[in-house]
């Protein structure tokens, strides 16, 4: 459908940035591009600033924070910058001077403000800003490839004048992401030069990597527009994992092909206006330089790459979770995970399963695709199941208005900076916090199933700083009792079960592990992990999908060995999960594995 992606299409600029949501294959695509450019005789440096980086897994050797040569690829070097480590150093630098001067509670608040995703973004930006402006590195390499580009939100913040003032030091308005920028004034010249280089079409190409599925395409469009609006206009889209079935009779293979083709029809004119390329769906893991060469050159791999691994078909499905939950009279169930892993489906199926057991259930979702909201009103479960949908856009708008109303005393520049801060991902979590706290109150009398709950960082930030409570008290006179009770309730294992949803692939598992660590930091321990969309749990005989099944094994085993004591497995399903009957089937494991 689209021309095949090749490093030839990005050879005109020395800086190549690969970006995309977790699990789309941006690291693999970036590494394969680096290998082929080096094979052509160019000197290449690949840099990862991804907190869940797997550069070392791809090249099968240890890669640290010092530049290392890749022995199997002459001309290629790699460095694995650790933004988490950089963020920790950044926190110490910002908070250190105040440790002996301020009360411990205030220091704890400052540290938590600097513990979120936005701080990691800023720390990562700092790391590659230093690389981009390092003359010795610039002279040593013809191409510098970055795995994970900065977000539009980060770049917009850095372009606003107020980011470089002392305004942050005494700001008490309660917004979410100002803390990470509080120590950056000394970096102004460096960051201005970096942002300028990023927007120079003769120096920088941005490669947006996506999958042929609706969620990834939607995320790609959002990132493309955000980055275009801050001046990064030299963009292209790579759709990775386009599948072509080898058999017309394999039900799973044909269903995957049809789903992908339907998803590709959702490409909007905004994305169609930039160059679009594709890469194939492959049966082998992208580890080692030979597999990367085969991937980017569209060559096959030897059959030993498709070896069979231990079957995990003995794992329970959602019926195991539902059975355990029915032993409780009521409680809170939170389904959590990155976008695209299926947490909305898992939450809805658990809600239906509990309702079928005669439990009174309320399902709350923030899913923008409200078709599940519609079908869950079916009369067959209405006696036991009710639903509500929290509209994040409306909640964010309400929160923005509250914060801006309380900040009228600020000057125009400060207001502009504050407004940009309120566009951050963290703001949405804080904004929906009140709506979640209200609905969780229902758990005194029934099960409350929450699709997409606040992260551990958000909960700790609100707990440490009391910023949310202060804002509510400022605007309404008192913080609701439901808000005050929420965190203790979520920390109580007798009242709350957290279910982490992931896919049997490298990036989703690594991201889920980080999410779990974040929750544990907030004293919330997940009860179950759900591994969703497993090809290994189907009866497919398609050679490509059988190869994918074998590559799932190590990641499923990692979850079993290192991450969770209780694990449920759901096969890749041929039909879209729409309607009560489909959800009933998942809840009772009566699913089509063919």
């Amino acid at each position: 459908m689209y021309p095949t992606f090749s490093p030839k299409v990005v050879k005109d600029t020395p800086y190549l940035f690969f970006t995309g949501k977790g699990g789309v294959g941006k690291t693999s695509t970036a590494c394969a591009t680096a290998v082929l450019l080096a094979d052509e005789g160019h000197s290449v440096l690949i840099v990862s600033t991804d907190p869940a980086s797997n550069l070392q897994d791809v090249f099968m050797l240890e890669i640290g924070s010092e530049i290392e040569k890749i022995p199997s690829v002459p001309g290629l070097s790699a460095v694995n910058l650790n933004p988490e480590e950089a963020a920790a150093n950044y926190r110490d630098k910002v908070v250190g001077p105040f440790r002996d001067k301020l009360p411990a509670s205030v220091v704890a608040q400052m540290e938590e403000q600097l513990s979120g995703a936005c701080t990691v973004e800023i720390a990562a930006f700092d790391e590659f800003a230093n690389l981009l402006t390092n003359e010795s590195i610039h002279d040593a390499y013809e191409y510098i490839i970055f795995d994970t580009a900065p977000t539009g939100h980060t770049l917009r913040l850095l372009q606003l004048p107020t980011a470089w003032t002392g305004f942050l030091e005494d700001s008490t308005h309660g917004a979410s992401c100002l803390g990470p920028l509080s120590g950056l004034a000394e970096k102004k010249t460096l960051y201005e030069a970096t942002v300028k280089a990023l927007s120079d079409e003769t120096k920088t190409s941005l490669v947006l990597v996506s999958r042929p599925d609706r969620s990834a395409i939607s995320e790609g469009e959002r990132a493309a527009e955000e980055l275009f609006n801050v001046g990064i206009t030299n963009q292209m889209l790579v759709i990775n994992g386009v599948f072509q079935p080898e058999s017309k009779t394999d039900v799973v293979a044909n269903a995957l092909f049809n789903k992908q083709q339907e998803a590709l029809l959702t490409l909007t004119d905004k994305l169609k206006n930039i160059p679009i390329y594709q890469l194939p769906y492959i049966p082998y893991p992208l580890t080692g330089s030979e597999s990367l060469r085969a991937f980017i050159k569209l060559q096959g791999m030897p059959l030993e790459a498709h070896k069979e691994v231990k079957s995990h078909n003995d794992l329970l499905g959602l019926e195991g979770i539902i059975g355990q939950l029915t032993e409780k009279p009521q409680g809170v169930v939170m389904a959590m995970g990155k976008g695209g892993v299926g947490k909305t489906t898992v939450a809805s199926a658990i809600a239906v399963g509990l309702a079928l057991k005669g439990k009174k259930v309320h399902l709350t979702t923030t899913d923008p695709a409200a078709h599940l909201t519609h079908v869950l009103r079916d009369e067959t479960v209405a006696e036991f199941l009710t639903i509500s949908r929290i509209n994040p856009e409306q909640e964010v708008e309400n929160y923005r208005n509250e914060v801006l109303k309380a900040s009228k005393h600020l000057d125009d520049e400060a207001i502009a900076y504050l407004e940009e801060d309120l566009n951050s991902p963290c703001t949405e979590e804080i904004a929906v916090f009140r709506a979640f706290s209200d609905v969780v109150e229902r758990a005194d009398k029934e099960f409350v199933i929450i699709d997409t709950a606040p992260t551990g960082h958000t909960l700790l930030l609100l707990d440490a700083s009391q910023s949310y409570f202060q804002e509510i008290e400022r605007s309404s006179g008192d913080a609701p009792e439901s808000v005050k009770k929420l965190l203790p309730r979520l920390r109580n294992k007798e009242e709350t079960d957290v279910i982490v949803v992931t896919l049997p692939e490298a990036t989703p598992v690594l991201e889920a592990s980080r999410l779990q660590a974040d929750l544990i930091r907030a004293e919330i321990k997940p009860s179950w992990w759900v591994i969703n969309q497993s090809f290994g749990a189907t009866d497919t005989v398609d050679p490509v999908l059988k190869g994918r099944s074998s590559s799932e094994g190590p990641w499923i085993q990692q979850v079993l060995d290192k991450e969770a004591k209780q694990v449920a497995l759901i096969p890749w399903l041929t039909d879209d999960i729409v309607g009560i009957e489909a959800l009933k089937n998942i809840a009772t494991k009566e699913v089509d594995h063919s």
Side-chain angles (χ1 to χ4, degrees):
M1 180 181 292
Y2 298 105
T4 300
F5 174 74
S6 164
K8 293 179 181 178
V9 302
V10 290
K11 288 177 65 173
D12 293 337
T13 61
Y15 306 136
L16 309 176
F17 283 83
F18 288 76
T19 192
K21 68 180 295 182
V24 296
K26 61 179 179 292
T27 297
S28 302
T29 307
C31 290
T33 300
V35 168
L36 242 65
L37 287 173
D39 284 350
E40 292 178 358
H42 302 289
S43 55
V44 182
L45 173 65
I46 184 165
V47 182
S48 176
T49 57
D50 190 340
S53 172
N54 57 344
L55 269 190
Q56 58 275 359
D57 298 324
V58 172
F59 287 112
M60 302 174 71
L61 77 162
E62 287 299 317
I63 299 173
S65 56
E66 300 293 329
I67 295 175
E68 304 271 353
K69 290 185 178 181
I70 305 298
S72 61
V73 188
L76 176 61
S77 298
V79 60
N80 205 15
L81 302 179
N82 187 337
E84 298 282 8
E85 183 179 313
N89 295 335
Y90 179 74
R91 277 195 299 274
D92 288 341
K93 183 177 180 181
V94 173
V95 177
F98 301 99
R99 291 192 189 279
D100 298 327
K101 299 177 182 178
L102 297 175
S105 60
V106 176
V107 173
Q109 173 182 335
M110 293 174 66
E111 289 179 332
E112 190 53 49
Q113 278 189 314
L114 294 166
S115 293
C118 294
T119 300
V120 176
E121 271 190 20
I122 294 295
F125 187 87
D126 186 60
E127 292 286 319
F128 70 69
N130 288 320
L131 275 175
L132 278 176
T133 55
N134 187 313
E135 289 296 328
S136 62
I137 291 177
H138 185 272
D139 292 340
Y141 300 99
E142 295 173 73
Y143 294 99
I144 303 179
I145 296 177
F146 291 92
D147 170 27
T148 302
T151 66
H153 165 63
T154 298
L155 294 175
R156 286 196 307 272
L157 279 173
L158 293 171
Q159 289 176 330
L160 288 167
T162 310
W164 312 109
T165 72
F167 147 72
L168 301 175
E169 294 178 4
D170 56 5
S171 173
T172 57
H173 50 68
S176 59
C177 289
L178 293 173
L181 293 175
S182 58
L184 297 186
E186 67 198 65
K187 302 278 190 176
K188 183 177 182 180
T189 302
L190 171 66
Y191 286 4
E192 284 178 342
T194 303
V195 172
K196 184 177 179 180
L198 288 171
S199 58
D200 186 340
E201 292 191 3
T202 66
K203 292 183 177 180
T204 299
S205 295
L206 182 76
V207 182
L208 296 155
V209 184
S210 182
R211 291 273 191 189
D213 68 67
R214 295 172 188 269
S215 175
I217 289 172
S218 175
E219 177 72 12
E221 180 178 3
R222 183 198 62 76
E225 184 173 11
E226 273 200 349
L227 293 165
F228 188 91
N229 289 338
V230 293
I232 303 179
T233 56
N234 188 17
Q235 302 181 0
M236 66 187 67
L237 174 66
V238 175
I239 301 172
N240 183 35
V242 178
F243 179 68
Q244 186 66 46
E246 293 192 20
S247 168
K248 298 297 183 182
T249 60
D250 189 292
V251 175
V252 175
N254 289 328
L256 175 59
F257 174 78
N258 291 332
K259 283 185 179 183
Q260 287 194 353
Q261 294 304 306
E262 290 171 6
L264 290 173
L265 293 177
T266 67
L267 284 168
T268 64
D269 290 339
K270 290 180 181 177
L271 288 177
K272 289 179 181 178
N273 286 332
I274 64 176
I276 301 177
Y277 303 92
Q278 69 179 46
L279 284 167
Y281 196 91
I282 57 170
Y284 50 86
L286 286 170
T287 53
S289 55
E290 288 307 310
S291 69
L292 294 169
R293 289 186 178 102
F295 171 53
I296 206 73
K297 291 179 178 179
L298 304 185
Q299 298 172 344
M301 284 290 288
L303 290 177
E304 55 263 32
H306 302 193
K307 62 183 179 181
E308 294 293 330
V309 296
K310 177 184 175 183
S311 171
H312 294 94
N313 287 338
D314 56 331
L315 291 175
L316 292 171
L318 292 185
E319 77 282 358
I321 299 176
I322 293 166
Q324 192 176 89
L325 289 172
T326 54
E327 298 175 5
K328 295 184 175 184
Q330 70 274 325
V332 179
V333 180
M334 300 197 301
M336 303 185 71
K338 297 294 183 180
V341 297
K343 59 183 175 294
T344 299
T345 299
V346 168
S348 300
I350 290 173
V352 169
L354 286 171
L356 290 172
K357 298 283 189 181
K359 296 290 185 179
K360 193 174 181 182
V361 182
H362 183 79
L363 171 67
T364 297
T365 181
T366 59
D367 182 14
H371 65 274
L372 286 177
T373 304
H374 174 72
V375 299
L376 283 171
R377 288 180 177 149
D378 191 285
E379 293 180 0
T380 58
V381 292
E383 180 182 355
F384 297 107
L385 177 62
T386 58
I387 60 172
S388 62
R389 178 173 176 264
I390 296 169
N391 185 332
E393 291 184 2
Q394 186 59 53
E395 298 298 333
V396 167
E397 185 62 26
N398 294 342
Y399 180 71
R400 281 169 53 89
N401 291 338
E402 287 181 3
V403 171
L404 291 172
K405 181 179 178 181
S407 306
K408 286 182 177 179
H409 61 285
L410 301 176
D411 60 29
D412 290 344
E413 280 192 1
I415 290 292
Y417 184 52
L418 180 57
E419 287 179 338
E420 178 53 45
D421 178 63
L422 290 167
N423 286 328
S424 78
C426 303
T427 298
E428 182 175 308
E429 285 195 277
I430 291 177
V432 300
F433 183 77
R434 172 171 49 192
F436 275 129
S437 63
D438 288 341
V439 79
V440 165
E441 278 286 276
R442 301 177 62 133
D444 289 335
K445 300 178 180 178
E446 59 187 325
F447 278 97
V448 175
I449 316 294
I450 300 174
D451 165 34
T452 312
T455 65
H457 163 65
T458 299
L459 296 171
L460 274 177
L461 176 61
L462 296 168
D463 188 41
S465 69
Q466 298 287 301
S467 61
Y468 180 84
F469 305 145
Q470 290 170 359
E471 200 54 50
I472 294 299
E473 289 171 349
R474 193 195 329 267
S475 59
S476 62
D478 188 30
E481 193 66 23
S482 61
V483 173
K484 297 176 181 177
K485 290 167 57 178
L486 180 59
L487 191 54
R489 186 195 294 267
L490 298 184
R491 286 171 169 164
N492 185 342
K493 290 184 179 181
E494 298 302 315
E495 295 185 85
T496 299
D497 287 277
V498 173
I499 298 169
V500 174
V501 186
T502 189
L503 303 178
E505 301 171 17
T507 300
V509 169
L510 293 171
E511 289 185 339
S513 179
R514 292 179 64 240
L515 170 62
Q516 178 165 262
D518 193 30
L519 289 167
I520 291 173
R521 209 163 52 86
E523 300 176 38
I524 299 172
K525 182 72 169 67
S527 304
W528 285 79
W529 276 46
V530 173
I531 302 172
N532 195 21
Q533 300 179 23
S534 169
F535 283 109
T538 72
D539 295 327
T540 182
V541 294
D542 183 274
V544 172
L545 298 187
K546 289 294 287 183
R548 294 290 294 192
S549 299
S550 69
S551 68
E552 292 176 0
W555 298 107
I556 295 175
Q557 201 60 48
Q558 175 163 323
V559 173
L560 293 169
D561 293 343
K562 298 181 180 180
E563 305 294 351
K565 292 183 178 179
Q566 299 189 106
V567 179
L569 184 72
I570 302 175
W572 192 91
L573 301 173
T574 56
D575 296 324
D576 289 329
I577 309 304
V578 179
I580 293 297
E581 288 305 315
L583 291 167
K584 284 181 181 178
N585 291 338
I586 299 176
T588 59
K589 209 172 184 178
E590 295 175 6
V591 294
D592 183 3
H593 291 211
S594 62

